[in-house]
Amino acid sequence: MTSSFDFTIWPPTLTNSQLETLTLLASTSALANGLLYLPPAEKQPNIPSAAIHAPFSLFPSPFPRYLFDKARRLQNTYNILYARIAMDDEFLDKVMGAEEGLGKVDDFIGQLWRGWKQLRDDGLAQPLHLGLFRSDYLLHTESGGDLSIKQVEFNTISVSFGCLSQKVAALHRYLLQTSGYYQSSPSLRKENFPSNQNIVGLASGLAEAHNAYGVVGARILFVVQPGERNIFDQRPLEYQLLEEYSIQIIRQTFDELAETASVDPSTSILRIACSRDIEPSGFVEISTVYYRSGYMPHEYPTSGHYTTRFLLERSKAIKCPTIALQLAGGKKVQEVLTQPGVLERFLTDETRYGKGVLSVENVNELKESFMSMWGLDVGEDMLLPDLEATVAGTEHYGVRKARKAALSLVLKPQREGGGNNVYKEAIKSFLDNLPPQERQAWIAMELIHPPETGNYLIRAGTTQSESQAPVKAETVSELGIYGWALFGGLNKNVKEREVGWLVRTKGKDSDEGGVATGFSVLDSVLLVD
């Protein structure tokens, strides 16, 4: 199926006066409604006294309605898939473990896996997992000109910008209501601006876990980064949990938790020491641990930081995510899922999942969202590691194939947060210098080819004198779909929901996509036919 919309005419033409007025309306609306960041600082103050608006687009970006609906529909299947992966210890040991898998060559992954393996051997206190997920897609132009959606990655830890993306969608609706966007495009109509309720949806997942824990007065722990600038993407979840569910939050860093966290040896209850002004007993019980940090190696600068992570994992609190679910989100897992029979194992195997199996149509829809990818360590059958090449120090088939197709590829390591991938012309020299023992840590993925389009991008200055003028640019937009899943226990049931979406837009020449790292702006969807 193809879209009749002409992406090349976007964004609509505006006069300088119209552009200036829209920028003023948008910037003041962003500041008034919490579409905010803390400004850059060597050290963030304990009590913030200033903020800047987050980067955003002036127009929503066009996205075909039938593909938007498909992405939302796929999320339910992806929720179930990744829940089942996280419950399959044998699979994760093979793909991500430090004995057979990625953990052999990636110290960060190896450290997490070894800690998780020891905790399993000792006996885990909490069988339930909570995942707040985001599946990211780009529009892809097929050879015949039709459009499809292709998955960039699936995120299982610290999925961000749910709250701010809801606010930027509201900002674009506000601009439509106040200006009509000066009737600059017939597509800019109310019915083409889909509702986005990420805050309610994501908070409902956290509340589901809290209620499953079932202790009155327990709190949810947000594990956060020190000096966090993106607090305005986190606080709305806190407010929603308090207002809708009367659930209170406590926020702490790993360093703080090293001093305050303890696990009762007989009950496995996780307690956080606090001021007696907060709780007369001097501690609070934790129902759910929600990680907004802990996904990058630099967040574990000492062995003590791993010790703190494993302490939390040992407890009875429900983790979002567990270490198993964090490992399930690995790029290597994404690559293995493209291999024959793997999806079928998780989605259609009646001996494992009985009446919970999904249809062949569900599996085929997921496969349609995959780009071709392979591990740099694979042999010529494209399934098994090239052990002979590893021993001999020669090039694996996967490396030779990546060299040949370099201009149409991206190389991805198991790293989150943006700025880690290797693209096109840089691939050959990168492969020249990649030690053979590290090849297992990288996957090659065919590049996605989005349609040509554009937008106006607005970034805040850090001082009053810096310009906030919109920059017109050729752009690429990435759609993310949010979902949650609560799963585990003896019957391995999965309760899941699809809950909303985001759009991140970047200049066409930027290979990376992180908003927090400065590559992208926040955007929203304009549905087109």
Side-chain angles (χ1 to χ4, degrees), residues 212-488:
Y213 186 84
V215 174
V216 175
R219 298 192 182 198
I220 294 177
L221 169 66
F222 282 28
V223 184
V224 298
Q225 295 174 329
E228 175 64 76
R229 292 183 59 208
N230 198 22
I231 61 171
F232 301 106
D233 187 51
Q234 300 171 9
R235 291 288 187 179
L237 292 178
E238 176 180 342
Y239 307 147
Q240 177 69 17
L241 287 165
L242 185 62
E243 293 168 13
E244 181 68 21
Y245 304 98
S246 299
I247 300 171
Q248 295 193 59
I249 304 303
I250 186 167
R251 294 168 58 89
Q252 295 210 347
T253 66
F254 275 130
D255 286 337
E256 290 170 329
L257 288 167
E259 301 294 327
T260 62
S262 63
V263 175
D264 187 289
S266 59
T267 64
S268 299
I269 290 172
L270 174 61
R271 295 187 175 96
I272 306 298
C274 64
S275 167
R276 293 186 182 275
D277 294 334
I278 296 174
E279 180 61 46
S281 66
F283 63 84
V284 293
E285 182 174 348
I286 299 302
S287 68
T288 307
V289 181
Y290 173 45
Y291 289 97
R292 289 300 295 251
S293 64
Y295 53 90
M296 292 186 288
H298 73 75
E299 295 178 284
Y300 300 83
T302 69
S303 60
H305 290 79
Y306 286 102
T307 299
T308 300
R309 176 69 187 274
F310 300 147
L311 176 74
L312 302 180
E313 194 78 11
R314 183 178 297 114
S315 76
K316 184 182 172 183
I318 298 171
K319 273 69 67 177
C320 178
T322 57
I323 293 175
L325 187 51
Q326 181 174 348
L327 294 174
K331 306 295 191 300
K332 190 66 178 177
V333 170
Q334 184 185 8
E335 179 253 315
V336 172
L337 287 173
T338 67
Q339 297 176 7
V342 178
L343 273 182
E344 287 80 358
R345 167 183 173 169
F346 286 109
L347 297 178
T348 65
D349 187 342
E350 292 186 9
T351 61
R352 288 173 180 268
Y353 302 111
K355 64 180 181 181
V357 299
L358 302 182
S359 68
V360 173
E361 287 76 16
N362 292 123
V363 175
N364 289 339
E365 274 206 320
L366 250 63
K367 287 183 175 180
E368 290 171 2
S369 71
F370 292 167
M371 289 298 285
S372 175
M373 63 186 79
W374 63 90
L376 295 186
D377 62 324
V378 297
E380 294 201 35
D381 62 3
M382 297 302 292
L383 291 175
L384 300 173
D386 193 343
L387 299 178
E388 291 183 5
T390 301
V391 173
T394 58
E395 285 201 334
H396 301 75
Y397 174 76
V399 174
R400 297 198 303 274
K401 185 176 180 181
R403 283 187 184 279
K404 186 175 180 180
L407 294 181
S408 62
L409 298 179
V410 54
L411 300 185
K412 294 184 174 184
Q414 181 45 49
R415 291 291 176 267
E416 305 295 337
N420 301 299
N421 298 335
V422 182
Y423 292 84
K424 301 179 186 177
E425 294 86 353
I427 287 177
K428 289 186 178 180
S429 61
F430 174 81
L431 292 174
D432 289 341
N433 295 295
L434 182 67
Q437 66 272 20
E438 294 183 17
R439 290 169 184 161
Q440 189 176 359
W442 291 81
I443 67 169
M445 176 178 171
E446 287 189 3
L447 287 169
I448 303 169
H449 298 288
E452 295 183 5
T453 190
N455 211 321
Y456 290 96
L457 312 182
I458 300 178
R459 292 181 171 87
T462 57
T463 68
Q464 288 290 337
S465 61
E466 289 181 340
S467 171
Q468 297 184 19
V471 175
K472 187 176 182 181
E474 296 181 355
T475 57
V476 173
S477 295
E478 184 172 292
L479 174 71
I481 304 294
Y482 292 99
W484 62 257
L486 181 67
F487 57 94

Side-chain angles (χ1 to χ4, degrees), residues 32-293:
N33 291 289
L35 181 55
L36 301 173
Y37 268 175
L38 292 181
E42 232 175 82
K43 184 179 179 183
Q44 292 292 345
N46 291 331
I47 301 177
S49 59
I52 59 174
H53 69 68
F56 60 84
S57 66
L58 193 58
F59 284 87
S61 285
F63 204 95
R65 190 183 310 271
Y66 70 98
L67 292 176
F68 179 72
D69 292 340
K70 180 177 182 178
R72 299 190 74 169
R73 186 171 66 248
L74 281 176
Q75 188 62 35
N76 300 109
T77 307
Y78 270 117
N79 291 341
I80 295 169
L81 171 63
Y82 276 86
R84 290 178 177 174
I85 291 170
M87 292 187 286
D88 195 324
D89 296 350
E90 180 184 357
F91 176 82
L92 287 176
D93 287 346
K94 183 176 181 180
V95 177
M96 301 294 283
E99 295 171 358
E100 300 180 69
L102 179 61
K104 287 192 303 184
V105 296
D106 186 309
D107 183 62
F108 175 54
I109 297 300
Q111 291 266 29
L112 290 177
W113 181 85
R114 281 187 289 270
W116 174 53
K117 176 68 164 56
Q118 183 61 57
L119 290 167
R120 280 189 286 154
D121 291 344
D122 295 341
L124 295 172
Q126 177 55 258
L128 295 179
H129 312 237
L130 174 66
L132 296 189
F133 300 140
R134 195 185 69 228
S135 186
D136 294 333
Y137 304 91
L138 287 173
L139 289 174
H140 177 61
T141 307
E142 305 284 355
S143 56
D146 288 353
L147 290 176
S148 62
I149 51 170
K150 296 296 182 181
Q151 189 184 63
V152 178
E153 62 184 356
F154 192 89
N155 303 276
T156 63
I157 183 169
S158 189
V159 293
S160 57
F161 295 112
C163 299
L164 292 191
S165 59
Q166 177 175 325
K167 291 177 181 294
V168 79
L171 181 149
H172 287 151
R173 288 195 298 274
Y174 163 73
L175 293 180
L176 178 71
Q177 291 171 326
T178 54
S179 71
Y181 277 105
Y182 299 105
Q183 290 71 51
S184 56
S185 168
S187 296
L188 289 163
R189 304 191 307 271
K190 182 179 179 181
E191 58 267 31
N192 293 339
F193 287 64
S195 175
N196 195 3
Q197 298 298 321
N198 289 333
I199 297 172
V200 170
L202 293 171
S204 72
L206 290 165
E208 194 76 27
H210 174 86
N211 292 335
Y213 186 84
V215 174
V216 175
R219 298 192 182 198
I220 294 177
L221 169 66
F222 282 28
V223 184
V224 298
Q225 295 174 329
E228 175 64 76
R229 292 183 59 208
N230 198 22
I231 61 171
F232 301 106
D233 187 51
Q234 300 171 9
R235 291 288 187 179
L237 292 178
E238 176 180 342
Y239 307 147
Q240 177 69 17
L241 287 165
L242 185 62
E243 293 168 13
E244 181 68 21
Y245 304 98
S246 299
I247 300 171
Q248 295 193 59
I249 304 303
I250 186 167
R251 294 168 58 89
Q252 295 210 347
T253 66
F254 275 130
D255 286 337
E256 290 170 329
L257 288 167
E259 301 294 327
T260 62
S262 63
V263 175
D264 187 289
S266 59
T267 64
S268 299
I269 290 172
L270 174 61
R271 295 187 175 96
I272 306 298
C274 64
S275 167
R276 293 186 182 275
D277 294 334
I278 296 174
E279 180 61 46
S281 66
F283 63 84
V284 293
E285 182 174 348
I286 299 302
S287 68
T288 307
V289 181
Y290 173 45
Y291 289 97
R292 289 300 295 251
S293 64

